[in-house]
């Protein structure tokens, strides 16, 4: 169910608020109060006409609460392959324990790839440097598509930083043998993240060289860190990375209220203070790009790729709280949307 959340604040008056005063003063005050209230109502009405009511509606766009609670029986299939582009510190699959142990690898797109393929969607999983710069990641993304798409046009669905990689590849690199029809970004920090700003401030300029040196010794590229700040996105990336003609751009954002024990509690507070509602790392305002399809309510940055804490949901269900978001249903619906757009 899709809802637009709007609340109207009401002021209650009681006899305790009224003091006995001379009749002439009271009548004058009542007249002034009514006149003021009348003008105020007119101004509020005009504001609602212009903004559509509660300003949060404009921030959230379409507030998506339980549209993706369950998986439907039927979804349309896009004509062209779908490329899944992961975010910062991402991977296609990760083998945590040696292969001779009977444990499956961990997948970034947990259960999503299999579900999409089961619905007849041709899926290409890209794998780019986990902490590399946008330039490095975009170059690898282009190589993966050129190699795996076999000349077919593609639709890209990108989570988090993956959306920045895709935008750079499409607009700046324009690799041969790669034709992108659409880019759908999910909680991508198109305008940077206040949490990235905070991390740099906490580390401090004196310690940054040691921070980078530590990762360099491990052979890990660290170009991504400074590029996720709001300053870099506003002054460098966005002005130099315009949308490409002929490519359709769609986006989704998310908002959550982390529990006391959540790893997102502190990042959420930081982003909330400086940018507003967010999913624990990326604000809704930063996630908007192209045609904004809506805001997923009570969904965290990791819930978006099906990394939901299963124990948490089991406890919630025992207490009578039904799960309202299924990431697999969400991505199948994106594919369905692409198919209906003729993509």
């Amino acid at each position: 169910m899709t809802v637009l959340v709007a609340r109207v604040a009401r002021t209650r008056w009681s006899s305790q608020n009224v003091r006995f005063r001379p009749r002439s003063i009271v009548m004058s005050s009542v007249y002034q109060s009514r006149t003021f209230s009348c003008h105020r109502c007119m101004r509020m009405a005009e504001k609602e006409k212009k903004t559509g009511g509660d300003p949060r509606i404009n921030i959230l766009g379409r507030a998506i609460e339980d549209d993706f609670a369950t998986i439907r029986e039927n979804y349309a299939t896009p004509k062209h392959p779908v490329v899944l582009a992961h975010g910062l510190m991402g991977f296609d699959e990760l083998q945590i324990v040696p292969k001779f142990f009977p444990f499956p690898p961990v997948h970034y797109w947990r259960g999503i790839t299999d579900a999409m393929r089961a619905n007849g969607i041709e899926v290409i999983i890209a794998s780019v440097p986990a902490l590399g710069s946008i330039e490095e990641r975009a170059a690898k993304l282009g190589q993966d598509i050129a190699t795996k798409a076999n000349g077919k046009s593609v639709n890209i669905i990108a989570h988090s930083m993956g959306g920045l990689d895709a935008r750079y590849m499409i607009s700046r690199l324009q690799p041969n043998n790669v034709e992108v029809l659409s880019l759908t970004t999910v909680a991508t920090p198109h305008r940077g993240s206040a949490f990235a700003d905070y991390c740099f401030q906490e580390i401090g300029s004196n310690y940054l060289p040691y921070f980078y040196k530590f990762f360099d010794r491990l052979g890990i590229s660290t170009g991504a860190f400074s590029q996720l700040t709001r300053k870099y996105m506003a002054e460098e990336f966005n002005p130099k990375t315009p949308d490409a003609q002929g490519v359709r751009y769609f986006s989704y954002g998310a908002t959550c209220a982390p529990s006391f024990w959540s790893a997102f509690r502190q990042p959420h507070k930081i982003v909330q203070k400086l940018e507003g509602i967010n999913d624990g790392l990326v604000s809704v305002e930063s996630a908007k790009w192209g045609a904004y399809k809506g805001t997923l309510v009570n969904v965290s940055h990791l819930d978006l790729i099906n990394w939901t804490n299963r124990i948490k949901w089991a406890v919630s269900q025992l207490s009578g709280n039904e799960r309202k978001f299924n990431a697999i249903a969400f991505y199948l619906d994106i594919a369905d949307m692409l198919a209906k757009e003729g993509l």
Side-chain angles (χ1 to χ4, degrees):
M1 175 181 178
T2 302
V3 297
L4 290 178
V5 184
R7 297 177 181 172
V8 180
R10 293 186 176 89
T11 305
R12 295 182 178 179
W13 294 88
S14 68
S15 58
Q16 295 176 353
N17 300 112
V18 181
R19 296 180 180 178
F20 291 103
R21 292 179 292 174
R23 180 180 178 84
S24 60
I25 296 176
V26 171
M27 292 303 294
S28 175
S29 298
V30 169
Y31 173 79
Q32 291 175 2
S33 176
R34 286 178 178 175
T35 303
F36 173 78
S37 297
C38 182
H39 286 304
R40 186 183 178 200
C41 289
M42 289 173 68
R43 288 198 301 270
M44 288 178 66
E46 285 298 319
K47 186 176 180 181
E48 287 185 4
K49 286 181 182 178
K50 293 178 181 179
T51 65
D54 192 329
R56 284 175 300 174
I57 293 175
N58 293 331
I59 295 172
L60 290 176
R62 183 171 73 108
I64 306 170
E65 290 197 341
D66 58 4
D67 292 39
F68 311 122
T70 58
I71 299 173
R72 302 196 310 265
E73 288 188 10
N74 298 305
Y75 292 91
T77 303
K79 297 177 182 177
H80 304 279
V82 169
V83 178
L84 297 178
H86 66 71
L88 182 72
M89 298 179 67
F91 48 87
D92 50 357
E93 66 175 40
L94 184 65
Q95 190 74 44
I96 298 177
V97 297
K99 291 185 177 181
F100 54 80
F101 286 104
F103 297 104
V106 176
H107 295 272
Y108 185 88
W109 304 95
R110 194 173 183 177
I112 296 165
T113 307
D114 292 339
M116 294 180 82
R117 286 172 175 163
N119 276 270
I121 303 167
E122 184 177 349
V123 181
I124 296 170
I125 303 177
S127 180
V128 303
L131 297 173
S133 66
I134 293 173
E135 294 83 358
E136 293 171 321
R137 290 165 58 97
K140 181 59 165 59
L141 175 62
Q143 292 170 11
D144 280 6
I145 296 173
T147 302
K148 299 176 182 179
N150 298 316
K152 297 177 183 177
S153 301
V154 299
N155 298 296
I156 300 176
I157 300 176
H159 174 243
S160 195
M161 187 180 176
L164 304 180
D165 306 334
R167 282 180 55 201
Y168 188 91
M169 182 204 71
I170 294 167
S171 177
R172 307 274 291 274
L173 298 183
Q174 303 176 1
N176 295 326
N177 300 322
V178 174
E179 182 183 10
V180 179
L181 300 176
S182 72
L183 169 61
T184 302
T185 60
V186 180
T188 290
H190 293 287
R191 294 164 188 81
S193 173
F195 186 63
D197 299 344
Y198 172 83
C199 290
F200 270 88
Q201 291 169 4
E202 286 298 301
I203 294 172
S205 57
N206 292 333
Y207 294 98
L208 275 175
Y210 299 101
F211 175 79
Y212 287 131
K213 191 172 182 179
F214 171 76
F215 282 99
D216 287 340
R217 286 178 177 175
L218 298 175
I220 300 173
S221 176
T222 56
F225 294 124
S226 62
Q227 293 180 327
L228 295 175
T229 62
R230 291 181 293 169
K231 178 181 176 65
Y232 180 83
M233 294 304 297
E235 298 179 5
E236 293 291 330
F237 186 82
N238 285 332
K240 298 177 182 178
T241 314
D243 289 350
Q245 290 186 355
V247 178
R248 304 280 300 278
Y249 292 82
F250 307 98
S251 61
Y252 290 86
T255 177
C256 69
S259 66
F260 180 80
W261 303 106
S262 173
F264 288 118
R265 183 173 174 81
Q266 185 64 19
H268 181 273
K269 286 174 63 177
I270 293 166
V271 179
Q272 179 86 23
K273 181 179 179 180
L274 298 173
E275 296 184 70
I277 55 176
N278 64 89
D279 65 0
L281 287 175
V282 179
S283 72
V284 168
E285 280 301 304
S286 189
K288 294 178 179 178
W289 198 263
Y292 189 64
K293 305 299 288 184
T295 302
L296 299 154
V297 179
N298 293 326
V299 179
S300 76
H301 200 70
L302 288 183
D303 289 339
L304 290 165
I305 50 172
N306 207 27
W307 280 53
T308 301
N309 187 316
R310 304 300 172 89
I311 297 175
K312 179 187 74 174
W313 280 114
V315 172
S316 295
Q317 287 182 326
L318 288 173
S319 61
N321 297 319
E322 291 297 323
R323 182 176 178 178
K324 292 186 176 182
F325 177 74
N326 185 317
I328 292 173
F330 172 55
Y331 285 93
L332 288 174
D333 193 81
I334 293 177
D336 182 87
M337 178 270 292
L338 295 172
K340 290 174 180 175
E341 292 284 344
L343 300 168

